[in-house]
Amino acid sequence: VQLVESGGGLVQAGGSLTLSCATSGFSFVNAYIGWFRQAPGKEREGVCWISILDGDTYYDDSVKGRFTLSADNAKNMVYLQMNSLKPEDTAIYYCAADILLPEDVTIATMGGIEFATLGQGTQVTVSS
């Protein structure tokens, strides 16, 4: 399982960014792909996930109405469109995949889904 994030950067409050997660090494159509974030000095928190099979989504209350997930099944890619960004959205954002292999171990849970793999992360900084 490999997850590679891109698209982070510096943006002013109220601005937008789109993060991308390139995936490989597993059956994309059967996966849940999520995003976690970790701000300096804070614990990692779950942001959102999407079921690739049926498009079902989950969003944490802190991002509901501002962030939107989408998936491109042909490219095995997941996108996180982030609008109306706030300084408190500043964090390293990690793409995550759920339990996919028998040997996978849960490392985080969000919205009822257990995740086993995280990418290396991409930095998002929102200036006030």
Coordinates of all heavy atoms in Angstrom, one line a residue, residues 2 5 13 16-17 23 29 34-35 38 41 43 53 61 72 76 78 96 100 104 106 120 122:
Q2 N 0.7 2.1 -1.0 CA 1.5 3.3 -1.0 C 0.5 4.5 -1.3 O -0.4 4.5 -2.1 CB 2.5 3.3 -2.2 CG 3.4 4.5 -2.2 CD 4.6 4.3 -3.1 OE1 4.6 3.4 -4.0 NE2 5.6 5.1 -3.0
E5 N 0.9 12.1 -1.0 CA 0.1 13.4 -1.0 C 0.9 14.5 -1.7 O 2.1 14.5 -1.8 CB -0.1 13.9 0.5 CG -0.8 12.9 1.4 CD 0.2 12.0 2.2 OE1 1.4 11.9 1.7 OE2 -0.1 11.5 3.3
A13 N -6.0 33.2 4.7 CA -7.3 32.9 5.2 C -8.4 33.2 4.2 O -8.4 34.3 3.6 CB -7.6 33.6 6.6
S16 N -8.3 28.9 -0.9 CA -8.6 27.5 -1.2 C -7.3 26.7 -1.6 O -6.3 27.3 -2.1 CB -9.6 27.4 -2.4 OG -10.8 28.0 -2.1
L17 N -7.3 25.5 -1.4 CA -6.2 24.5 -1.8 C -6.9 23.2 -2.2 O -7.9 22.9 -1.6 CB -5.2 24.3 -0.7 CG -4.1 25.3 -0.5 CD1 -3.2 24.9 0.7 CD2 -3.2 25.5 -1.7
T23 N -2.6 6.8 -5.0 CA -2.6 5.5 -4.3 C -2.1 4.4 -5.3 O -2.3 4.5 -6.5 CB -4.0 5.2 -3.8 OG1 -4.8 4.7 -4.9 CG2 -4.6 6.4 -3.1
V29 N -10.9 0.3 -5.6 CA -12.4 0.4 -5.6 C -13.0 -0.1 -4.3 O -14.1 0.3 -4.0 CB -13.0 -0.4 -6.8 CG1 -12.8 -1.9 -6.6 CG2 -14.4 0.0 -7.1
G34 N -9.0 8.3 3.5 CA -9.3 9.4 4.4 C -8.2 10.4 4.5 O -7.1 10.2 3.9
W35 N -8.5 11.4 5.2 CA -7.5 12.5 5.5 C -7.4 12.7 7.0 O -8.5 12.9 7.6 CB -7.7 13.8 4.7 CG -7.5 13.7 3.2 CD1 -8.4 13.3 2.3 CD2 -6.3 13.9 2.5 NE1 -7.9 13.3 1.0 CE2 -6.6 13.7 1.2 CE3 -5.0 14.4 2.9 CZ2 -5.6 13.9 0.2 CZ3 -4.1 14.6 1.9 CH2 -4.4 14.3 0.6
Q38 N -2.4 16.9 11.5 CA -1.8 17.1 12.8 C -1.1 18.5 12.8 O -0.3 18.8 12.0 CB -0.8 16.1 13.1 CG -0.2 16.1 14.5 CD 0.5 14.9 14.9 OE1 0.9 14.1 14.1 NE2 0.7 14.7 16.2
G41 N 2.1 20.7 18.1 CA 1.7 20.6 19.5 C 0.4 19.9 19.8 O -0.1 19.9 20.9
E43 N -2.6 16.7 18.9 CA -2.7 15.3 18.4 C -3.3 15.2 17.0 O -4.0 16.1 16.6 CB -3.7 14.5 19.4 CG -3.1 14.3 20.8 CD -3.9 13.4 21.6 OE1 -5.0 13.0 21.2 OE2 -3.5 13.1 22.8
L53 N -16.1 2.7 -3.3 CA -17.1 1.9 -3.9 C -18.4 2.6 -4.1 O -19.0 2.5 -5.2 CB -17.4 0.6 -3.0 CG -18.3 -0.4 -3.6 CD1 -17.7 -1.0 -4.8 CD2 -18.5 -1.5 -2.5
D61 N -17.0 17.8 11.9 CA -17.8 19.0 12.0 C -16.9 20.2 11.7 O -17.4 21.3 11.2 CB -18.4 19.1 13.4 CG -19.6 18.2 13.6 OD1 -20.1 17.6 12.6 OD2 -20.0 18.0 14.7
D72 N -11.0 9.7 -8.4 CA -10.9 9.4 -9.8 C -10.5 8.0 -9.9 O -9.4 7.6 -9.7 CB -9.9 10.3 -10.4 CG -9.8 10.1 -11.9 OD1 -10.1 9.0 -12.4 OD2 -9.4 11.1 -12.6
N76 N -6.9 6.2 -9.8 CA -6.6 5.8 -8.4 C -6.2 7.0 -7.5 O -5.2 6.9 -6.7 CB -5.5 4.7 -8.3 CG -6.0 3.3 -8.8 OD1 -7.2 3.2 -9.2 ND2 -5.2 2.3 -8.8
V78 N -7.4 10.4 -5.1 CA -8.4 11.1 -4.2 C -8.0 12.5 -4.1 O -6.8 12.8 -3.9 CB -8.6 10.4 -2.9 CG1 -9.4 11.2 -1.9 CG2 -9.2 9.0 -3.0
A96 N -4.9 8.6 4.1 CA -4.9 7.3 4.8 C -5.8 6.3 4.1 O -6.7 6.7 3.4 CB -5.5 7.5 6.2
L100 N -6.8 -3.1 4.6 CA -6.9 -3.7 3.3 C -6.3 -5.1 3.2 O -6.7 -5.9 2.3 CB -6.2 -2.8 2.2 CG -6.9 -1.4 2.1 CD1 -6.0 -0.5 1.3 CD2 -8.2 -1.5 1.4
D104 N -2.7 -6.0 8.1 CA -2.8 -4.6 8.5 C -3.2 -4.4 9.9 O -4.0 -5.2 10.5 CB -3.8 -3.9 7.6 CG -3.3 -3.5 6.2 OD1 -2.0 -3.6 6.1 OD2 -4.1 -3.2 5.3
T106 N -4.7 -1.5 12.8 CA -5.3 -0.2 12.9 C -4.4 0.8 13.6 O -3.9 0.5 14.7 CB -6.6 -0.3 13.7 OG1 -7.5 -1.2 13.1 CG2 -7.3 1.0 13.9
Q120 N 3.1 10.2 3.7 CA 4.2 11.0 4.4 C 3.7 12.4 4.8 O 4.3 13.0 5.6 CB 5.4 11.1 3.5 CG 6.1 9.8 3.2 CD 6.6 9.2 4.5 OE1 7.3 9.9 5.3 NE2 6.2 8.0 4.8
T122 N 1.6 16.3 3.7 CA 1.8 17.5 3.0 C 1.4 18.7 3.9 O 0.4 18.7 4.5 CB 1.1 17.6 1.6 OG1 1.5 18.7 0.9 CG2 -0.4 17.5 1.8

